[in-house]
Amino acid sequence: MLEGIFQPTHLLVIFGIALLVFGPKKLPELGKGIGEGIRGFRSAVKEQVDATDKNTTGDEASTPRSL
C-alpha cells in the first residue's frame, strides 16, 4: 500500500508545496525543529530501552532458575 510513497518525484512535489506554504526563510527553521524533535524522540526511546534492559537483566540475575 505504501510502497511507492517515497519516490523521488513525490518527494520533490512535497518539498515544492512546503516551500510555497512556509516560504524559503521559514523552511530551514522548520527542518531544524523537526530534526531536534526526532533526535529527542530517539534518545527517549533509547533511554527507555536501556532502562527496560537494566530491569530485565537485574531481575533474571536475582531469581534462581529451576530445571
Side-chain angles (χ1 to χ4, degrees):
M1 181 176 159
L2 297 175
E3 296 150 355
I5 196 166
F6 291 117
Q7 293 180 354
T9 308
H10 294 131
L11 293 175
L12 285 173
V13 170
I14 291 170
F15 180 73
I17 292 171
L19 187 62
L20 287 173
V21 171
F22 295 110
K25 291 184 179 181
K26 192 73 171 174
L27 209 53
E29 292 176 20
L30 185 65
K32 182 181 176 185
I34 290 172
E36 288 174 354
I38 290 172
R39 279 191 296 276
F41 178 75
R42 283 184 180 171
S43 67
V45 168
K46 186 177 183 217
E47 289 174 6
Q48 183 68 30
V49 168
D50 290 344
T52 304
D53 288 344
K54 273 186 179 180
N55 290 338
T56 304
T57 56
D59 291 343
E60 290 175 357
S62 63
T63 57
R65 293 185 182 174
S66 61
L67 297 176

